[in-house]
C-alpha cells in the first residue's frame, strides 16, 4: 500500500542497500529511454537494407536489359517509337515494383505483429502494443516506390536510346 514501507520491508528482508532498490517508474523510464535509442540502430539498418535492395534492382534491370534487346529491336522495326517503348518499359517496371510492394507490406506487417505478440513475450516476458502510423507508412512506401522506379528507369533509358540497327548489332 505504501511504497516507502514496502521498500523498507524488502530492504530489511533481503539485506539490501538502499541503492540496490529501484522504483518501478524509475526503471521503466530508464528502459524506455534505452529502448528508444535502439530505434536509431534499426533505422540505420533499414536504410542500409533499402540501399542494397535498390542497388539490386538497378543491377537486375541492367542485366535483364541485355536480354530485352531483341524484342525491343523487333518492336522498333514494327514502328514503335523510342518514347513509346520507354513508356511501356517504365510501366512494366512500375507493375513489377507495385506487385513487390503488395506482397512485402502485408508480409512485413504480419511479421511485426507475430514478433510483438508471440516472440517478445516468450523471449523477454513483455510486449508492447502494435501501432501502425498509416500516413508515415504510406509516405515511406510512396517515396521508396518513386525511388525504385527512378532506379529502374535509368537502365531502361539507356536501352531505349539506341536505334534499331544499334540494338540488333549488340545481339
Amino acid at each position: 500500500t505504501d511504497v516507502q514501507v514496502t521498500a523498507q520491508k524488502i530492504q530489511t528482508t533481503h539485506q539490501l542497500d538502499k541503492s540496490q532498490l529501484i522504483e518501478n517508474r524509475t526503471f521503466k523510464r530508464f528502459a524506455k529511454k534505452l529502448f528508444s535509442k535502439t530505434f536509431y540502430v534499426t533505422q540505420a539498418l533499414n536504410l542500409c537494407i533499402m540501399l542494397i535492395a535498390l542497388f539490386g534492382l538497378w543491377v537486375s534491370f541492367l542485366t535483364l536489359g541485355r536480354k530485352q534487346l531483341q524484342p525491343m529491336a523487333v518492336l522498333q522495326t514494327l514502328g514503335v517509337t523510342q518514347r513509346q517503348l520507354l513508356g511501356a518499359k517504365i510501366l512494366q517496371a512500375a507493375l513489377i515494383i507495385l506487385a513487390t510492394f503488395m506482397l512485402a507490406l502485408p508480409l512485413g506487417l504480419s511479421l511485426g505483429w507475430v514478433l510483438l505478440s508471440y516472440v517478445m513475450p516468450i523471449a523477454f516476458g513483455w510486449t508492447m502494443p502494435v501501432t501502425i502510423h498509416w500516413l508515415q507508412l504510406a509516405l515511406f512506401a510512396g517515396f521508396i516506390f518513386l525511388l525504385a522506379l527512378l532506379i529502374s528507369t535509368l537502365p531502361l533509358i539507356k536501352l531505349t536510346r539506341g536505334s534499331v540497327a544499334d540494338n540488333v548489332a549488340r545481339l
Side-chain angles (χ1 to χ4, degrees):
T1 56
D2 185 17
V3 174
Q4 295 300 330
V5 173
T6 307
Q8 187 63 37
K9 284 182 184 178
I10 292 172
Q11 280 179 304
T12 307
T13 305
H14 298 287
Q15 299 172 350
L16 298 173
D17 187 358
K18 187 172 180 151
S19 64
Q20 292 176 306
L21 198 62
I22 300 172
E23 287 183 40
N24 196 23
R25 68 178 154 195
T26 306
F27 179 72
K28 273 187 170 180
R29 194 176 326 125
F30 173 74
K32 282 183 180 180
K33 189 176 179 182
L34 182 65
F35 191 70
S36 68
K37 288 184 180 183
T38 62
F39 286 113
Y40 295 128
V41 174
T42 304
Q43 289 171 351
L45 289 173
N46 283 342
L47 180 65
C48 290
I49 290 168
M50 287 296 157
L51 290 174
I52 290 168
L54 290 171
F55 179 73
L57 183 69
W58 180 67
V59 169
S60 294
F61 274 96
L62 277 176
T63 305
L64 291 174
R66 185 96 171 124
K67 293 184 179 190
Q68 294 178 3
L69 287 176
Q70 186 176 11
M72 288 172 51
V74 171
L75 288 172
Q76 284 180 330
T77 305
L78 292 173
V80 175
T81 65
Q82 289 177 341
R83 187 179 207 148
Q84 290 172 331
L85 192 57
L86 179 62
K89 289 298 177 184
I90 290 174
L91 180 63
Q92 183 183 26
L95 289 173
I96 291 170
I97 295 167
L98 187 62
T100 304
F101 268 75
M102 298 310 286
L103 294 171
L105 286 175
L107 181 64
L109 292 171
S110 300
L111 180 62
W113 177 76
V114 167
L115 287 172
L116 288 174
S117 298
Y118 297 103
V119 176
M120 282 186 64
I122 293 169
F124 303 111
W126 62 278
T127 188
M128 53 195 237
V130 177
T131 55
I132 300 170
H133 301 281
W134 293 106
L135 180 62
Q136 287 179 345
L137 183 63
L139 290 174
F140 179 72
F143 174 71
I144 293 298
F145 177 80
L146 291 175
L147 193 59
L149 193 59
L150 175 70
I151 294 294
S152 64
T153 300
L154 296 176
L156 295 175
I157 290 172
K158 182 182 174 190
L159 279 177
T160 57
R161 285 217 173 157
S163 67
V164 177
D166 291 340
N167 286 341
V168 172
R170 284 192 226 164
L171 297 175

